[in-house]
Amino acid sequence: MLENRFNEDMKNIYVIAKKELGYNATRFMQLVAQKGGLQAAKQLISKEGGTYGFEILWEHKRLDLSVEALVLKPEYTELFTDTEREICRNRLQDFGYSV
């Protein structure tokens, strides 16, 4: 199921960020555990001005590990509205990440 795959990918970006950047996004994982990856992503991308985690990833030049980048993967198009995807695209572009 597509939502399950997205949930696993949400967990994977956490694991990679922790392993490669030493960034322990505890609250991110709590949110994913409580709400599931899809609802967690929708909540995070709707947060005005972005999230602390996004800033950390930007500082490390790893926006490829952001929820926004994950949302924009073609295989997950049907899970998100055009508006949600536009928010992600704009946020990434604003921080110099080409989408």
Side-chain angles (χ1 to χ4, degrees), residues 20-65:
E20 295 183 8
L21 311 177
Y23 176 48
N24 188 11
T26 309
R27 287 185 298 187
F28 173 83
M29 279 307 288
Q30 288 171 343
L31 188 63
V32 171
Q34 289 170 348
K35 298 190 174 214
L38 182 60
Q39 289 309 313
K42 288 176 178 282
Q43 181 175 324
L44 291 167
I45 61 177
S46 69
K47 187 174 179 194
E48 193 67 36
T51 63
Y52 176 71
F54 186 90
E55 289 179 33
I56 295 291
L57 295 173
W58 174 73
E59 288 172 3
H60 286 277
K61 298 177 176 28
R62 290 304 307 267
L63 288 178
D64 59 302
L65 297 176

Side-chain angles (χ1 to χ4, degrees), residues 1 25 27-28 38 60 80 90 97-98:
M1 187 171 144
R27 287 185 298 187
F28 173 83
L38 182 60
H60 286 277
F80 298 93
N90 290 341
Y97 186 79
S98 61

Side-chain angles (χ1 to χ4, degrees), residues 67-98:
V67 172
E68 289 82 355
L70 186 60
V71 167
L72 291 177
K73 286 191 171 188
E75 61 263 41
Y76 297 130
T77 300
E78 68 186 66
L79 294 178
F80 298 93
T81 66
D82 290 345
T83 302
E84 289 168 332
R85 293 175 52 76
E86 185 178 340
I87 289 168
C88 292
R89 189 174 299 107
N90 290 341
R91 186 171 293 151
L92 288 165
Q93 289 174 338
D94 287 348
F95 281 82
Y97 186 79
S98 61

